[in-house]
Amino acid sequence: MKEMRVSIIALFLVSFCYHICNGQTHHFWSQNYGSQSMLLNGSVIGGVSDLGAVYYNPARLALIKNPAFVISGDVYELNNYNVEDAIGTRADLKQSSFGGAPSLTAGTVKIKSLPNHSFAYAVLLRDDSNFGFNYHDEITTDIIGNIPGDELFEGEVSVINSSKDQWFGGSWSYAVKENFSVGSSVFVSKINSSKGNKYEMRALSNNGSVSIYDYNRNYQLNSYGLILKFGLAYIMENWDLGMTITTPRLKLNGKANYNYQLYFSAPPEADATETYANSYQNDLDLNLKTPLSIGLGASHNLSSKGALHLSAEYFHKVNNFDVFTANPHPMQSNLDSTVNFTLEDGYKSILNIGVGTEWYLSEKVSVYGGVSTDFNASPKNTVSFVSQNERASNLSFDANYYHFGAGTVLKFKGAEFTLGATHTSGKSKFSKPVNLPINNGPSDVITDDSGQFQWKRWQFIVSVSVPFLRDYMKKIEDKLKGNEGSN
């Protein structure tokens, strides 16, 4: 088998980028919503006290005394990626990025004729990542064995990986008793995802001949789905209890696009088969799934000075399934060959646990802290998209995450300000590709010893919440009436 040896650095970075981006969708506790809930790392299924209730437990809406309209819940995110032994033992690779992160906008609606009912609306981002990468390398080495001497080799790698999952929905809650309520949330999920990798490689021999290898495979996913969440909330002395059930994602509609290009040309003395192949396919049937989950939570009022929050959520297994399958297509330069591709996915069962605490320093100042697990739900023996196999997984990073958060909430007349930060980290080992075959058909990428990938994330939270104007005016009116009565 004739092989064009490409830069180890270039190929490694393709694998590196996919380790960064793909695994995010198989972690379900990576994002938190609501001012206090973010600082408590989502450990609030039993005692959520802000409008994060639309996501964590909609039943709590009927028990929240003063729900606020979340004007903004801005989160600024710093991501650090570190790869040990990136190229053998020669060097480590590091990269950082800074920008906005998923957040929440939500509010409540009161209907006078339904005093025991509470309604809310919410817009939130479950995922909003846009990671693009380009790498260029040029070396002089003997990469074509049948041509004497070294070649001047130039390689460029481009990676596209962007994903956005927006949730739009509403919540309802009914107070069955003063201390017991039920509720539900309905969300429409809009997913737009684009992923792909491209290699452009050229080699100039000392006799003036030129070899060219261009490879590009990418896909785009566009889907609408429906997600339902049901909740129970119960208050007893010094305890707030909650339970939720979240349904799997129900498909409303969705399509996938798939593009494939492979071009290779070399001088006759290289004794290599030249290749010309492409295929562009639109509106392929798309199938996206998420697991059923059950959550339990309890919040214990330690005293008038603080509270302890405990939460756990179980995510049920989803057997491997095909996300989409491209129509088989021949290579134009070799009609007897056929290129196939299927993107697959799946989830293993996991249990996430969170613990949080809050302390009231004064009527206007509270401090919060929390820790939670965020285990990876991807199944074993996944195949990275970058491997060029006929079947590939929609993920590759298999690390478990651990979240830590802390911050303060400052209360003023008419508004609450939340300031804080959360930290997340995870590690994963991987095999490093060292060459890329150019023969027709699936490629068996040769790998060497494993390296280690580490991801660290800092989130800086700046959130502003205000009560509804009519609620705030009513408080002022009641206060004025009280003053008049005293006179």
Side-chain angles (χ1 to χ4, degrees):
M1 176 175 61
K2 305 299 180 183
E3 298 177 344
M4 175 181 287
R5 298 282 175 178
V6 302
S7 167
I8 296 176
I9 299 176
L11 275 179
F12 167 75
L13 286 173
V14 177
S15 179
F16 169 51
C17 295
Y18 273 88
H19 274 271
I20 291 173
C21 304
N22 289 345
Q24 298 292 325
T25 57
H26 288 71
H27 294 84
F28 301 109
W29 277 26
S30 292
Q31 305 298 341
N32 293 306
Y33 306 98
S35 54
Q36 292 98 325
S37 301
M38 287 188 285
L39 301 179
L40 294 168
N41 274 315
S43 58
V44 291
I45 295 176
V48 57
S49 59
D50 55 31
L51 277 180
V54 298
Y55 176 76
Y56 294 107
N57 187 350
R60 285 284 301 177
L61 289 170
L63 303 179
I64 299 175
K65 294 182 179 180
N66 297 306
F69 170 62
V70 180
I71 291 181
S72 65
D74 294 328
V75 180
Y76 300 94
E77 189 170 281
L78 173 65
N79 288 282
N80 293 310
Y81 312 106
N82 181 35
V83 186
E84 299 176 3
D85 293 337
I87 312 158
T89 56
R90 287 173 51 194
D92 295 341
L93 293 179
K94 296 182 179 180
Q95 183 165 323
S96 299
S97 65
F98 183 82
S103 189
L104 166 75
T105 298
T108 58
V109 177
K110 295 290 186 179
I111 300 178
K112 291 183 179 180
S113 59
L114 300 172
N116 292 335
H117 297 258
S118 298
F119 301 89
Y121 60 89
V123 178
L124 57 92
L125 287 172
R126 290 295 290 143
D127 181 33
D128 187 14
S129 59
N130 188 352
F131 188 91
F133 192 90
N134 291 280
Y135 179 80
H136 176 269
D137 188 37
E138 187 174 72
I139 59 175
T140 299
T141 186
D142 186 8
I143 62 172
I144 303 179
N146 289 1
I147 300 180
D150 293 341
E151 287 81 28
L152 177 62
F153 171 79
E154 179 185 34
E156 185 172 351
V157 176
S158 301
V159 169
I160 299 172
N161 199 319
S162 64
S163 179
K164 177 176 288 189
D165 185 5
Q166 298 174 287
W167 284 20
F168 310 87
S171 301
W172 160 84
S173 180
Y174 173 68
V176 181
K177 298 180 179 180
E178 290 185 355
N179 65 338
F180 176 64
S181 62
V182 298
S184 63
S185 292
V186 180
F187 291 104
V188 174
S189 166
K190 178 185 177 183
I191 293 179
N192 301 106
S193 179
S194 298
K195 296 181 182 181
N197 54 281
K198 183 177 182 179
Y199 313 146
E200 294 181 312
M201 293 172 276
R202 296 159 290 275
L204 174 65
S205 302
N206 55 17
N207 62 4
S209 60
V210 177
S211 301
I212 297 175
Y213 180 98
D214 287 342
Y215 173 84
N216 183 7
R217 185 170 73 172
N218 61 77
Y219 63 87
Q220 299 82 43
L221 309 180
N222 300 285
S223 173
Y224 284 88
L226 192 67
I227 297 174
L228 308 178
K229 183 184 285 285
F230 304 97
L232 300 174
Y234 183 72
I235 297 177
M236 51 191 299
E237 186 178 0
N238 295 327
W239 286 94
D240 291 352
L241 306 177
M243 176 181 177
T244 61
I245 297 177
T246 305
T247 67
R249 189 177 192 269
L250 305 175
K251 177 182 176 181
L252 297 178
N253 63 43
K255 295 293 181 180
N257 299 328
Y258 165 81
N259 300 302
Y260 176 90
Q261 296 173 326
L262 177 58
Y263 308 112
F264 172 66
S265 178
E269 57 268 30
D271 191 23
T273 302
E274 296 191 338
T275 303
Y276 184 104
N278 60 46
S279 180
Y280 310 97
Q281 303 180 23
N282 298 321
D283 297 329
L284 300 172
D285 290 338
L286 178 63
N287 181 30
L288 295 176
K289 297 181 180 181
T290 59
L292 170 75
S293 69
I294 299 175
L296 296 173
S299 296
H300 179 51
N301 296 316
L302 301 174
S303 65
S304 60
K305 291 294 185 178
L308 177 67
H309 302 272
L310 305 170
S311 290
E313 190 169 14
Y314 168 77
F315 297 86
H316 192 58
K317 176 182 178 181
V318 177
N319 293 328
N320 284 6
F321 61 94
D322 293 345
V323 177
F324 76 86
T325 299
N327 298 317
H329 54 93
M331 292 186 174
Q332 288 86 337
S333 59
N334 183 5
L335 297 179
D336 292 332
S337 65
T338 302
V339 178
N340 299 283
F341 178 69
T342 296
L343 186 71
E344 62 181 21
D345 211 340
Y347 303 87
K348 65 183 180 184
S349 59
I350 59 169
L351 176 67
N352 283 326
I353 299 174
V355 179
T357 184
E358 56 182 293
W359 294 96
Y360 317 123
L361 302 183
S362 68
E363 292 184 357
K364 294 184 178 181
V365 181
S366 303
V367 293
Y368 295 78
V371 59
S372 65
T373 64
D374 190 8
F375 294 125
N376 170 54
S378 62
K380 296 181 180 180
N381 301 321
T382 58
V383 179
S384 174
F385 178 75
V386 76
S387 66
Q388 299 180 277
N389 286 359
E390 292 184 356
R391 297 187 67 89
S393 304
N394 196 28
L395 68 142
S396 61
F397 187 37
D398 59 357
N400 295 318
Y401 300 155
Y402 298 90
H403 305 289
F404 302 89
T408 183
V409 174
L410 308 176
K411 296 181 180 180
F412 300 94
K413 289 184 178 181
E416 289 185 359
F417 295 89
T418 302
L419 302 172
T422 66
H423 179 261
T424 300
S425 62
K427 294 182 179 181
S428 177
K429 289 188 176 182
F430 59 91
S431 296
K432 297 168 290 186
V434 298
N435 91 316
L436 177 64
I438 61 171
N439 63 306
N440 296 343
S443 301
D444 295 325
V445 177
I446 299 175
T447 60
D448 63 6
D449 295 336
S450 294
Q452 180 170 269
F453 168 76
Q454 183 177 35
W455 172 61
K456 294 181 179 180
R457 181 188 70 183
W458 282 96
Q459 288 184 324
F460 305 98
I461 303 162
V462 181
S463 180
V464 181
S465 302
V466 298
F468 279 101
L469 181 61
R470 61 170 179 245
D471 294 337
Y472 186 57
M473 294 301 296
K474 187 176 185 304
K475 290 182 180 180
I476 297 177
E477 183 181 351
D478 292 342
K479 185 175 182 180
L480 292 174
K481 288 181 179 179
N483 292 335
E484 291 175 359
S486 62
N487 295 330

